[in-house]
Amino acid sequence: MTRSPIRNCLVCGTENNHGNHFDVQCCRACAVFFRRRAGTKYTKLQCQSIHCDVNSKLCKPCRLRRCYAVGMNIDKFQHNRDPLKTIQKIPETFSTFIGHLVIFCIPDDFCKKTFVDLNELMKKASEIFVSGAETPYCGNSQLKKLTIASSFSKDCKMFKTLTYGEMSFFWEYYFLRTAKWLTYFDEFQTIPHTMKLQLLSSIWHVFGRLDKMLSTASARKRKICQNNRMWAMSNGIIMDLDRTKVDLTHLTKYPQEQVFYFLNSIAVFDLASEIEKLGELNITDMEFNFMLAQLVFSYAGKRFQGDVMNICDRFLEVLSDDLHNYYVNETKMTRYSGRLSQLMQINNAIQNDIWKNRPRGELAALFNVFTVQFSHPDMFIDTGLV
């Protein structure tokens, strides 16, 4: 039998025998990379590594430029298949489901993707940043001011049905909750408006993870959440995935059991032991808000690097000083390193869970697990949905 010749990928140079992708002979990894990054911020960024082109290793901006240079063509994307960042317009002939701020455009053709327009949600968040904090407060530290925006509801309501409409409710709730929380941080108010929106778009779902974990820990102590398949939100919503009816037919064609494999990171199923620790530690409002800040700003710094990392490091330096003063002056706890280490172990577990689950999101994108297309796909990186 004659074997077909093995050709090298024109982008990264690795051995490839998988044919053409987007008009170019390339490996599947580079095809997935091009599909996810074409039209995003990486088209405008400069080289991010001094080691680029050494043994064909490229940073993301250089790899994307190489994709274009060898002839990869975004016009070869299948219609309504790839969530390009540049898509901002509701497609014609779509029947529309309008929520509060998230607009679902359900295609008449079942083979097409559901388009999700998030422009109104982004506009609302932008208005929140311009208006500033809802409640004027002169605290003795910036960390203490953040506690004003992190209250928890004591009224609980069991969620009986989960559809795409309820999913949009979760997105909207945590996106705007995170935006309002950030307005109480004076240092955050000093950065450019566009960077505020960039940070918000990247950290809102990470904020939601820790928020759900602490809410769930509290609900378990109150005997409201009674097993690991139940979790709570800070607005009092309770989900029991053994009893809640799930209908995500407009988001995916796969059965529920397989879908939650890809959404594992936002459902926090792998973090049951950390939820137990949160309950045992009896975390104060000051500690919880420091944990939130350390988690989201560390995540954003690692994700974007460069100026964003420097700004996030500055944020954390300010809040670390505030936490130190809180421990020493208010709680009279001069030896707090052991307790702080326990808090950071929980944060590290959450971040490690995010990185561990990232390949699942890449698999979901490769095999089109989710039949949904976002107007702002960068908002959903590391959620499993893009």
Side-chain angles (χ1 to χ4, degrees):
M1 183 194 303
T2 303
R3 298 180 62 184
S4 55
I6 295 178
R7 302 175 184 176
N8 288 346
C9 171
L10 294 180
V11 178
C12 67
T14 59
E15 286 190 352
N16 165 61
N17 198 28
H18 299 300
N20 284 1
H21 301 279
F22 311 118
D23 270 357
V24 167
Q25 181 77 25
C26 70
C27 64
R28 287 175 178 166
C30 286
V32 172
F33 171 83
F34 183 68
R35 184 200 297 178
R36 297 191 68 188
R37 304 303 179 190
T40 67
K41 63 176 182 176
Y42 294 106
T43 58
K44 299 178 181 179
L45 293 180
Q46 300 298 316
C47 178
Q48 297 179 329
S49 173
I50 61 174
H51 302 294
C52 269
D53 219 18
V54 177
N55 297 324
S56 297
K57 293 181 178 179
L58 300 170
C59 67
K60 290 177 181 177
C62 288
R63 188 179 183 185
L64 185 56
R65 277 192 287 275
R66 177 74 65 83
C67 289
Y68 283 118
V70 298
M72 295 183 88
N73 186 358
I74 62 174
D75 292 335
K76 297 299 180 181
F77 286 164
Q78 294 183 20
H79 181 60
N80 283 329
R81 176 174 175 176
D82 298 277
L84 297 180
K85 185 180 180 179
T86 53
I87 297 173
Q88 300 290 330
K89 185 178 180 181
I90 297 176
E92 297 180 2
T93 73
F94 273 42
S95 57
T96 304
F97 170 84
I98 302 179
H100 186 204
L101 295 171
V102 179
I103 301 176
F104 275 82
C105 308
I106 309 301
D108 296 326
D109 184 349
F110 187 69
C111 295
K112 294 181 179 179
K113 284 196 170 187
T114 296
F115 185 83
V116 183
D117 185 1
L118 298 154
N119 283 291
E120 288 300 315
L121 184 60
M122 292 293 294
K123 181 180 177 182
K124 179 63 177 178
S126 181
E127 292 171 353
I128 289 173
F129 287 150
V130 171
S131 300
E134 291 179 334
T135 307
Y137 177 74
C138 297
N140 57 6
S141 73
Q142 295 195 50
L143 182 58
K144 196 158 192 173
K145 286 183 70 174
L146 286 174
T147 64
I148 299 298
S150 60
S151 59
F152 291 80
S153 173
K154 293 184 179 180
D155 298 325
C156 296
K157 176 185 176 182
M158 187 68 69
F159 228 78
K160 297 181 179 180
T161 305
L162 177 64
T163 67
Y164 62 89
E166 283 73 32
M167 287 284 283
S168 71
F169 167 78
F170 296 156
W171 302 336
E172 182 178 320
Y173 171 72
Y174 276 117
F175 196 75
L176 298 183
R177 176 169 166 79
T178 307
K180 291 175 182 178
W181 179 76
L182 289 167
T183 62
Y184 286 84
F185 186 27
D186 294 341
E187 286 292 318
F188 180 82
Q189 297 292 65
T190 65
I191 66 176
H193 189 75
T194 53
M195 186 172 287
K196 291 179 184 177
L197 292 173
Q198 179 188 14
L199 282 173
L200 172 63
S201 296
S202 67
I203 68 175
W204 67 276
H205 59 87
V206 181
F207 180 104
R209 284 175 169 85
L210 183 54
D211 179 277
K212 281 184 287 188
M213 290 173 66
L214 188 61
S215 300
T216 302
S218 175
R220 287 182 182 174
K221 291 183 73 172
R222 295 159 57 195
K223 307 300 182 183
I224 298 171
C225 289
Q226 300 171 353
N227 59 64
N228 289 346
R229 297 281 289 174
M230 296 179 69
W231 50 262
M233 295 167 58
S234 52
N235 59 356
I237 294 294
I238 306 294
M239 289 277 297
D240 184 347
L241 293 180
D242 288 331
R243 297 182 180 180
T244 302
K245 181 181 178 182
V246 179
D247 180 11
L248 302 179
T249 52
H250 291 303
L251 300 182
T252 180
K253 299 173 186 175
Y254 285 75
Q256 172 186 334
E257 300 77 19
Q258 296 178 18
V259 169
F260 279 117
Y261 170 83
F262 297 103
L263 296 178
N264 188 69
S265 55
I266 54 175
V268 296
F269 294 145
D270 286 347
L271 297 169
S273 60
E274 281 68 31
I275 292 174
E276 282 187 29
K277 292 176 185 176
L278 284 170
E280 294 168 357
L281 287 170
N282 293 316
I283 290 172
T284 67
D285 287 345
M286 291 284 279
E287 290 175 324
F288 173 60
N289 280 273
F290 180 78
M291 289 180 70
L292 277 176
Q294 195 279 334
L295 179 65
V296 301
F297 293 137
S298 294
Y299 168 82
K302 291 177 182 178
R303 176 168 161 179
F304 294 111
Q305 303 291 315
D307 290 340
V308 173
M309 175 178 278
N310 293 333
I311 288 171
C312 290
D313 286 345
R314 189 184 83 220
F315 289 169
L316 291 177
E317 184 176 351
V318 170
L319 295 174
S320 294
D321 289 341
D322 288 348
L323 183 68
H324 170 78
N325 291 331
Y326 165 72
Y327 276 137
V328 173
N329 300 323
E330 292 191 38
T331 67
K332 308 302 180 183
M333 188 190 304
T334 55
R335 297 181 179 180
Y336 58 82
S337 59
R339 181 170 178 82
L340 183 58
S341 175
Q342 289 179 296
L343 303 183
M344 292 302 97
Q345 285 175 11
I346 295 172
N347 274 11
N348 290 338
I350 297 172
Q351 288 216 50
N352 290 337
D353 194 60
I354 293 173
W355 308 133
K356 182 187 74 174
N357 282 291
R358 179 172 283 183
R360 298 186 184 187
E362 294 172 349
L363 281 174
L366 179 62
F367 293 106
N368 296 299
V369 171
F370 295 100
T371 55
V372 63
Q373 187 176 27
F374 296 102
S375 62
H376 297 72
D378 278 1
M379 281 177 55
F380 292 89
I381 290 176
D382 288 327
T383 65
L385 287 166
V386 298

